[in-house]
Amino acid sequence: MPTFRPAILALEDGSIFRGRAFGADATIAGECVFNTSMTGYQEILTDPSYFGQIVTMTAVQIGNYGINPEDAEAGAPKCSGFVVRELSPIVSNWRSQISLDDYLRQYGIPGISEIDTRALTKKLRVDGAMKCCLSTLPLTDAEAVERARAWRDMSGSDYVKDVTCSAPFIWSPTDPANFNTPYLPVGTSLNVPHTPAKKFRVAAFDYGAKHSIFRKLVQHGFDVQVFPAMATAAQVREQKPDALFLSNGPGDPAALPYVHQTVTELLPEYPTFGICLGHQMITHALGGSTYKLKFGHRGGNQPVKNIETGRVSITAQNHGFATDPKSIESRGAKVTEINLNDNTVEGLRHNTLPVFSVQYHPEAAPGPNDADPLFVDFYKMVEARKAGKI
Ligand SMILES: NC(=O)CC[C@H](N)C(=O)O
């Protein structure tokens, strides 16, 4: 066990948690949120949607299988800080190349362990997500609370500009660095559908996309051209894509007027699928609105019901905002899916355009593959459009 270094987590309401430091020597402020996944800490750390947030894991021991190159959702961890009950003293997995502690240190991200994460989570659930300060440097309680309160709230801030790609690029399914998995034939235990023979070209907006979304699109018959969030509708049209995809991403969905504008222009022209922030961008592009949830949905066990089919999926989620259902129903779209924990909107479809989206993450696999068919639906929608049927 490495030597004890103290750390502090202070919430804006004055709550103080003192524990043991891991990761980098640093003081940071951000939004304190919790994630209920039992596994997947590496995917969580590298999901760009966590930019600006300090993530608390409710699972009691984290770090036991280390860090490997295949599971990263982006080139580097993106959250601001990490909070765990116990950091595993042992790393044991054949794929592991580095410990969680060393990984966070390498990227300048501080962590705190050995605090009562259950008490912290209960507080966030009752009082809502809060601004907080995490420090692995000597800081008094008052200084830490002051740093938490001084942090600029994420509401109203554009975080997408910090995580989007800088220029368009083609997602390469043959580059080993992209870890594209070979397609599984029909009838395998994962029960994923067959590889379509014909490929379609999708223009994918990167608002902070997880790599596994691009892998899924490739797996389901798409050549993926990625565009930065600031790309214009004209730049997309120039490439003559068959379809449009809108990715997940961090921060307040209402704070991205330039994205709303671009999506408003493109929606009538292309079959479109949106995930998470992409779903919220469709909401805004249609003239609808989003609002902040009290503490959000983050975890791998969120039950979602499709209200048209009655089917329930166990989904992976990571969002703090949601679509106001009334705001889209009066603008030509309908709610297709709801979260069974709180009845909030989890999916929508346009009444006349080939446009649909989900608030959850169908590329992640907690169910384990409950939501995979959405990529097939997208492919079929593009196929029908190309055949002139819709
Ligand atoms: N994963 C996401 O795309 C999150 C979307 C948005 N930032 C939210 O918190 O609601």
Side-chain angles (χ1 to χ4, degrees):
M1 183 60 82
T3 50
F4 183 86
R5 290 186 296 140
I8 182 170
L9 177 76
L11 303 183
E12 61 175 306
D13 72 352
S15 308
I16 302 291
F17 297 84
R18 285 203 173 263
R20 180 181 201 125
F22 67 101
D25 289 331
T27 299
I28 40 100
E31 184 181 49
C32 195
V33 297
F34 64 88
N35 186 306
T36 58
S37 297
M38 300 295 285
T39 63
Y41 55 84
Q42 190 180 335
E43 290 89 331
I44 290 163
L45 289 165
T46 52
D47 177 349
S49 299
Y50 283 108
F51 185 84
Q53 290 174 326
I54 292 166
V55 183
T56 305
M57 299 300 289
T58 60
V60 288
Q61 192 194 56
I62 297 291
N64 55 323
Y65 56 88
I67 298 286
N68 67 71
E70 294 93 341
D71 290 348
E73 292 290 354
K78 299 291 178 184
C79 66
S80 300
F82 206 43
V83 182
V84 303
R85 175 71 190 87
E86 183 189 5
L87 180 69
S88 175
I90 295 167
V91 172
S92 175
N93 187 274
W94 63 277
R95 295 193 305 157
S96 175
Q97 295 195 351
I98 183 174
S99 72
L100 172 58
D101 187 12
D102 288 342
Y103 181 63
L104 291 184
R105 188 171 301 121
Q106 189 176 313
Y107 286 99
I109 296 175
I112 183 170
S113 67
E114 296 177 28
I115 70 159
D116 187 347
T117 48
R118 180 182 295 210
L120 172 61
T121 301
K122 279 182 158 176
K123 184 170 268 300
L124 298 176
R125 230 174 40 181
V126 171
D127 299 333
M130 271 187 240
K131 298 198 269 186
C132 75
C133 167
L134 196 174
S135 181
T136 51
L137 300 170
L139 217 60
T140 66
D141 292 2
E143 283 168 340
V145 172
E146 183 45 40
R147 289 286 290 262
R149 291 182 182 155
W151 183 68
R152 191 182 161 197
D153 205 310
M154 74 154 43
S155 292
S157 301
D158 176 356
Y159 284 1
V160 165
K161 65 176 179 350
D162 294 298
V163 294
T164 185
C165 57
S166 50
F169 68 96
I170 307 277
W171 175 263
S172 168
T174 51
D175 184 343
N178 288 339
F179 299 106
N180 291 280
T181 41
Y183 207 84
L184 293 159
V186 182
T188 58
S189 57
L190 292 178
N191 195 26
V192 284
H194 67 282
T195 313
K198 174 151 179 40
K199 288 250 178 195
F200 291 122
R201 294 177 59 222
V202 65
F205 269 101
D206 168 20
Y207 305 133
K210 292 167 65 186
H211 286 175
S212 50
I213 294 183
F214 296 151
R215 287 188 205 115
K216 276 282 175 198
L217 287 168
V218 168
Q219 222 180 47
H220 284 274
F222 291 95
D223 289 325
V224 183
Q225 170 144 38
V226 186
F227 287 85
M230 300 82 185
T232 61
Q235 283 171 297
V236 171
R237 283 185 202 114
E238 231 168 69
Q239 299 302 319
K240 302 193 175 9
D242 301 313
L244 187 64
F245 174 80
L246 310 175
S247 86
N248 64 296
D252 181 356
L256 306 164
Y258 61 99
V259 178
H260 307 164
Q261 176 57 34
T262 311
V263 178
T264 304
E265 284 178 50
L266 293 173
L267 279 190
E269 299 172 32
Y270 299 101
T272 304
F273 178 28
I275 290 178
C276 216
L277 190 81
H279 157 84
Q280 297 164 347
M281 293 305 94
I282 291 174
T283 298
H284 281 279
L286 296 175
S289 57
T290 49
Y291 64 98
K292 195 161 171 35
L293 294 164
K294 189 172 177 188
F295 51 83
H297 304 155
R298 295 177 186 84
N301 59 352
Q302 293 277 333
V304 168
K305 182 172 179 175
N306 183 316
I307 52 183
E308 294 174 328
T309 63
R311 185 174 188 270
V312 175
S313 303
I314 299 303
T315 69
Q317 301 201 8
N318 162 23
H319 65 111
F321 294 83
T323 291
D324 172 0
K326 289 203 178 60
S327 78
I328 53 157
E329 280 164 352
S330 56
R331 288 178 172 82
K334 66 153 76 87
V335 174
T336 51
E337 303 190 55
I338 55 162
N339 189 305
L340 287 176
N341 288 336
D342 60 8
N343 293 325
T344 53
V345 177
E346 291 289 353
L348 68 82
R349 193 176 55 239
H350 197 270
N351 295 334
T352 52
L353 297 171
V355 170
F356 75 107
S357 58
V358 287
Q359 181 65 76
Y360 54 91
H361 281 271
E363 80 288 354
N369 283 287
D370 297 20
D372 203 70
L374 288 176
F375 289 93
V376 183
D377 293 347
F378 183 40
Y379 184 90
K380 286 187 179 151
M381 197 169 86
V382 182
E383 204 172 34
R385 164 57 69 91
K386 298 303 276 183
K389 290 184 189 149
I390 54 171

